[in-house]
Amino acid sequence: MNPAVLSLAFSAAVLASLLVKFWLATRQMRHVAAHRASVPAAFAGTVALAAHQKAADYTLAKLRFGIASDAFGSAVLICWTLMGGLAALNDLLLAHVAPRWGAMAYQLLLIGAFVVIGALLELPFDLYSTFRLEQRFGFNKTTVALFVTDLVKSTLLGIAIGGPLLALVLWIMQATGALWWAWAWGALTVFQLLAMVIYPTLIAPLFNKFEPLSDDALVARVQSLMQRCGFRAKGFFVMDGSRRSAHANAYFTGFGAGKRVVFFDTLLQRLNGDEVEAVLAHELGHFAHRHIVKRVVLMLATSLAGFALLGWLAAQGAFYTGLGVTPNIRYSNDALALLLFMMALPPFLFFVSPVFASLSRRDEYQADAYARSNANAADLVRALLKLYEDNASTLTPDPLYVRFYYSHPPASSRIAALGLADAKLLGAAA
Ligand SMILES: [Zn+2]
């Protein structure tokens, strides 16, 4: 591999992905702005003009923010790599940490410092997004105190879990020989599967309160729906999602007999019993079609391919010099390889993201079809419209933007697929 070719390919990918993002964002902005004046005919009577215009304004504000944050992110990426940011940080730690505390401490600190600097650079964007953008549209419920507590908790959690895990991967890289990437993948796979099991019961409660669903009538309905569908859950819980945000959601988590259904309190406040049942039927559809298992398998297969690629790249001198770093002579290059790989991959991966988005949209249609056979399609549509309204999701997205980014099909396509081509048939939404 020629380092100049890698530099050029990397710069081209960063620039091209940024330009495509800008182009798609401006298309979406034009499309949404052009349809702002009136509610689309199919939704006339079910969606109020004020809600439609709020969705348009929120969508436009988020797109503008996205353009600024993408541009900044690309600049930071180029500064770390081709402009020598990572090389400078590496030199500093090589001179001061490596001789005193050894190779492992140097590598852990290099990655730690990189993560901390990256998070500090992102912080103004997080603050703006939470306390300006979300605030302006009435979605933000996070206080500054809660924001800081969350930040402290996730940092401590990151050090407590990420630190040992990173040390393990670095150890595997230097101790297991040429096939280290397969061993590292195996270790991370075990960790990820373990995380999926412990997340709902051990990690999520650190950030939110979970209380058993106390509405007996609703519990009975939900239980009978699950029985009809052949599922059993260990418990039904209400999560205080309203602590941070007005956005509503429901999810179904866990494995085997340990499955639990979690409703955001914001969802239960907005939807009636019929609608909650329809939303849960959709979630059960994901399980019935084994979407979660398939997604995990796909993720593991992609990450194995990623590790194999990294295994090859890490052994090429040009991989380092092409991305702005001179490889170390006395110390291991493993931490550098991990960092460069994490930075170099996303601009290339961006161009395959539509494939994953389209797989996800297909899953959503299947889950909707499942909900239609096990609950009421009209209730699902009513629930969807309320959720779209509460999340201020636009009803008039640009079709190309949808193909590239949307993990869920737009409302009009979902309603049409449910056999209710015209939302007007439903009568006024409550
Ligand atoms: Zn879904």
Side-chain angles (χ1 to χ4, degrees):
M1 194 165 55
N2 184 324
V5 172
L6 178 62
S7 300
L8 202 66
F10 174 66
S11 325
V14 172
L15 189 66
S17 61
L18 193 60
L19 289 176
V20 172
K21 282 178 192 168
F22 283 179
W23 174 62
L24 288 168
T26 49
R27 277 184 65 108
Q28 172 84 330
M29 287 166 96
R30 275 205 307 273
H31 208 88
V32 169
H35 290 85
R36 188 184 181 279
S38 60
V39 178
F43 297 100
T46 42
V47 174
L49 181 64
H52 172 69
Q53 296 192 327
K54 177 187 173 185
D57 295 339
Y58 180 57
T59 306
L60 292 172
K62 273 204 305 191
L63 286 164
R64 270 183 228 113
F65 174 74
I67 288 179
S69 113
D70 285 341
F72 180 74
S74 299
V76 168
L77 192 58
I78 295 296
C79 286
W80 273 125
T81 53
L82 302 181
M83 306 278 285
L86 184 59
L89 181 63
N90 187 46
D91 288 346
L92 191 74
L93 294 177
L94 265 185
H96 295 99
V97 176
R100 227 169 296 168
W101 293 331
M104 182 54 89
Y106 143 72
Q107 295 194 89
L108 286 173
L109 272 175
L110 178 65
I111 294 180
F114 174 86
V115 171
V116 168
I117 295 170
L120 288 176
L121 291 172
E122 290 272 320
L123 191 60
F125 288 88
D126 290 345
L127 288 169
Y128 182 87
S129 165
T130 307
F131 294 107
R132 286 282 179 277
L133 209 160
E134 295 285 308
Q135 186 86 28
R136 178 144 67 90
F137 292 91
F139 291 130
N140 177 44
K141 302 284 178 252
T142 305
T143 58
V144 176
L146 185 59
F147 188 90
V148 173
T149 322
D150 281 354
L151 198 65
V152 171
K153 275 190 208 168
S154 45
T155 308
L156 291 177
L157 206 61
I159 295 171
I161 296 175
L165 189 66
L166 188 61
L168 174 67
V169 170
L170 289 168
W171 177 79
I172 288 174
M173 288 177 89
Q174 58 105 21
T176 57
L179 281 179
W180 69 263
W181 53 270
W183 288 102
W185 174 81
L188 279 185
T189 298
V190 169
F191 170 78
Q192 274 170 322
L193 296 178
L194 204 67
M196 274 187 256
V197 176
I198 66 165
Y199 182 84
T201 45
L202 292 179
I203 311 286
L206 295 176
F207 293 91
N208 281 99
K209 265 209 211 70
F210 292 82
E211 274 169 6
L213 179 59
S214 57
D215 181 341
D216 291 336
L218 189 60
V219 170
R221 291 191 68 138
V222 164
Q223 252 162 353
S224 104
L225 166 74
M226 295 190 70
Q227 220 153 36
R228 275 203 315 275
C229 298
F231 284 103
R232 276 198 319 180
K234 209 172 179 185
F236 303 97
F237 295 89
V238 182
M239 190 191 101
D240 58 346
S242 58
R243 261 183 98 190
R244 293 189 181 78
S245 162
H247 295 302
N249 208 346
Y251 64 92
F252 188 48
T253 123
F255 293 92
K259 288 195 192 75
R260 32 168 66 197
V261 177
V262 176
F263 299 102
F264 279 37
D265 53 356
T266 35
L267 185 92
L268 296 182
Q269 282 154 18
R270 269 295 271 165
L271 305 186
N272 65 34
D274 295 325
E275 293 158 355
V276 170
E277 188 177 329
V279 167
L280 183 60
H282 168 98
E283 294 303 320
L284 294 177
H286 284 307
F287 262 81
H289 285 287
R290 303 192 166 276
H291 290 157
I292 291 101
V293 174
K294 284 179 195 161
R295 209 167 288 185
V296 170
V297 170
L298 181 67
M299 180 187 82
L300 294 180
T302 336
S303 76
L304 180 62
F307 268 105
L309 178 63
L310 173 58
W312 178 72
L313 286 171
Q316 316 287 318
F319 174 58
Y320 304 87
T321 45
L323 293 171
V325 181
T326 314
N328 303 326
I329 295 164
R330 289 191 50 203
Y331 291 94
S332 164
N333 286 300
D334 295 342
L336 282 176
L338 286 177
L339 288 175
L340 289 175
F341 190 66
M342 281 191 313
M343 286 192 278
L345 207 55
F348 294 100
L349 275 187
F350 171 73
F351 294 97
V352 290
S353 61
V355 177
F356 292 97
S358 113
L359 288 175
S360 165
R361 291 195 303 275
R362 193 197 57 190
D363 289 355
E364 294 306 325
Y365 282 125
Q366 283 181 349
D368 278 355
Y370 184 89
R372 179 166 71 163
S373 3
N374 291 286
N376 185 321
D379 287 327
L380 182 60
V381 172
R382 268 188 281 270
L384 284 177
L385 286 177
K386 283 187 189 173
L387 296 180
Y388 272 76
E389 177 175 338
D390 288 2
N391 291 325
S393 307
T394 178
L395 295 169
T396 58
D398 169 47
L400 199 64
Y401 191 89
V402 168
R403 292 187 82 109
F404 227 93
Y405 287 116
Y406 272 39
S407 62
H408 287 61
S412 54
S413 315
R414 289 180 78 173
I415 294 167
L418 281 164
L420 294 158
D422 205 325
K424 268 189 287 191
L425 298 173
L426 297 170

